[in-house]
């Protein structure tokens, strides 16, 4: 499946699993506005509808769909592994909501959907209206949404369609093993060339940065064995939350790993 096809499928998704209030019957709007003191009719681009962010009520605003799609594509650009994890989570969220809807339609009239009111703002990056992010500035109330108040038939159709599209993409992504991962193989080729033709004599050090922690995990798992078996070189992954890894042995303390990587600048002879 090519990148453009993935983009097209993601863009055709409704992402309505994140917008249950958008499926309220018009006659029920006042009930939820009065009960939870939230503005469900606001057309402000910074509307605070429990994380719906850029959504105009009663319609799935293109802004949130675009944001979610861009987020998924950034994960794909980072690594196939990272993208697969995101797809798995999205499928799970949609499937759990669909299960609740099906229980309701089967006769469980007490079924509810829980949501939270949050305040979000748009942040544009580098004065570029095409590049933006959504930042949660505060959390709000829990909302219990009675499925009797929603157009669950239409909502179910939206969610089933999204699950179908997600599974189609996921099936294709599962076929991309590490051996078939062209981006990973290209990275290995760059590493091989760097070691064969160092910028300065005998310099075999390599730094790789990733914005996504799971991509860092993927690269460590794939490269640590490769580097040791091919070149006898050790690998370390430095991440937040005490999630460092290394195959050098001993403590994975950040200062120790940085010192082993750069012994001269970190004065290893004085520290260890």
């Amino acid at each position: 499946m090519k990148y453009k096809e993935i983009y097209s499928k993601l863009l055709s998704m409704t992402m309505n699993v994140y917008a249950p209030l958008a499926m309220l019957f018009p006659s029920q709007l006042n009930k939820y506005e009065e009960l939870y003191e939230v503005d469900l009719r606001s057309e402000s681009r910074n509307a605070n509808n429990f994380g719906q962010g850029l959504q105009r009520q009663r319609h799935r605003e293109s802004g949130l769909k675009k944001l979610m799609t861009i987020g998924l594509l950034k994960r794909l650009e980072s690594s196939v592994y990272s993208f697969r994890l995101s797809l798995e989570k999205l499928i799970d969220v949609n499937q759990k909501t669909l299960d609740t809807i099906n229980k309701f339609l089967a006769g469980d009239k007490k079924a509810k959907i829980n949501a939270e009111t949050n305040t979000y703002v748009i942040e544009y990056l580098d004065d570029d209206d095409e590049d933006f992010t959504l930042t949660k500035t505060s959390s709000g109330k829990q909302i219990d949404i009675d499925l009797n108040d929603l157009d669950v038939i239409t909502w179910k159709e939206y969610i089933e369609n999204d699950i179908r599209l997600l599974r189609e993409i996921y099936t294709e992504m599962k076929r991309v093993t590490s051996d078939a991962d062209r981006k990973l193989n290209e990275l290995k080729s760059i590493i091989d060339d760097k070691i064969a033709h160092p910028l300065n004599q005998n310099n075999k050090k390599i730094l790789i940065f990733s914005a996504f922690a799971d991509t860092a995990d993927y690269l460590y798992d794939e490269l640590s064995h490769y580097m040791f078996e091919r070149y006898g070189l050790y690998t370390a992954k430095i991440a937040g939350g005490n999630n460092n890894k290394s195959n050098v042995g001993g403590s994975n303390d950040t200062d120790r790993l940085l010192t082993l990587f750069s012994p001269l600048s970190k004065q290893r002879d004085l520290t260890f």
Side-chain angles (χ1 to χ4, degrees):
M1 185 178 291
K2 295 185 180 298
Y3 188 89
K4 287 185 178 180
E5 187 177 354
I6 294 174
Y7 177 81
S8 177
K9 286 182 180 293
L10 292 177
L11 203 61
S12 66
M13 291 176 58
T14 66
M15 298 289 186
N16 266 2
V17 70
Y18 296 110
L21 287 183
M23 306 308 299
L24 279 173
F25 290 119
S27 60
Q28 300 302 317
L29 285 174
N30 287 336
K31 169 184 173 180
Y32 286 85
E33 285 184 334
E34 294 172 1
L35 187 59
Y36 295 103
E37 297 180 350
V38 293
D39 182 7
L40 300 182
R41 295 189 175 88
S42 172
E43 296 191 359
S44 167
R45 67 191 309 199
N46 290 331
N48 67 338
N49 297 320
F50 73 94
Q52 295 178 68
L54 314 176
Q55 178 186 313
R56 295 173 62 176
Q57 279 311 120
R58 308 299 298 156
H59 299 283
R60 182 65 181 173
E61 185 177 276
S62 60
L64 181 59
K65 185 168 72 171
K66 178 180 178 182
L67 184 67
M68 296 294 291
T69 303
I70 289 174
L72 284 169
L73 290 173
K74 285 183 177 180
R75 301 277 286 178
L76 175 58
E77 289 173 351
S78 179
S79 68
V80 172
Y81 175 80
S82 178
F83 185 54
R84 278 199 300 261
L85 290 181
S86 294
L87 292 175
E88 289 172 0
K89 292 175 182 177
L90 264 177
I91 291 171
D92 183 62
V93 168
N94 277 273
Q95 187 60 55
K96 286 180 178 177
T97 303
L98 181 60
D99 290 344
T100 300
I101 292 173
N102 285 333
K103 287 179 182 179
F104 171 78
L105 293 175
D108 183 2
K109 300 306 179 183
K110 295 182 179 180
K112 294 181 182 294
I113 296 292
N114 297 318
E116 182 182 5
T117 59
N118 298 308
T119 300
Y120 284 79
V121 296
I122 305 169
E123 292 182 357
Y124 290 97
L125 308 176
D126 300 325
D127 298 321
D128 183 357
D129 287 348
E130 295 300 317
D131 195 5
F132 61 90
T133 186
L134 195 66
T135 302
K136 183 167 75 170
T137 59
S138 65
S139 297
K141 305 172 182 179
Q142 288 291 328
I143 294 181
D144 293 325
I145 304 172
D146 190 338
L147 290 180
N148 288 289
D149 298 333
L150 301 182
D151 180 359
V152 291
I153 300 301
T154 302
W155 200 28
K156 179 183 178 181
E157 291 175 357
Y158 288 154
I159 292 175
E160 287 177 334
N161 180 67
D162 284 358
I163 290 175
R164 178 183 60 79
L165 292 170
L166 287 167
R167 284 180 174 163
E168 287 177 2
I169 299 171
Y170 183 73
T171 298
E172 292 297 318
M173 294 301 101
K174 286 287 287 184
R175 296 177 181 174
V176 184
T177 63
S178 57
D179 290 337
D181 186 342
R182 293 177 61 183
K183 189 171 184 178
L184 176 63
N185 291 329
E186 178 64 21
L187 176 59
K188 288 179 178 178
S189 296
I190 293 172
I191 291 172
D192 292 340
D193 183 69
K194 194 269 183 188
I195 291 178
H197 308 94
L199 294 177
N200 45 36
Q201 188 175 5
N202 203 34
N203 183 355
K204 298 179 181 180
K205 297 178 182 179
I206 297 168
L207 276 174
I208 301 174
F209 296 91
S210 173
F212 299 106
D214 40 34
T215 294
D217 289 335
Y218 173 63
L219 292 178
Y220 174 82
D221 291 341
E222 294 298 328
L223 293 178
S224 57
H225 300 291
Y226 177 81
M227 296 299 292
F228 188 77
E229 292 173 2
R230 192 177 183 92
Y231 300 109
L233 297 176
Y234 294 103
T235 303
K237 183 202 74 170
I238 295 178
N242 296 318
N243 290 319
N244 294 348
K245 290 182 180 180
S246 75
N247 59 354
V248 72
S251 170
N252 285 330
D253 175 75
T254 299
D255 286 337
R256 176 176 181 268
L257 295 178
L258 292 176
T259 299
L260 292 176
F261 179 79
S262 184
L264 293 179
S265 65
K266 301 291 287 186
Q267 298 181 306
R268 185 176 67 177
D269 56 329
L270 300 178
T271 306
F272 295 96

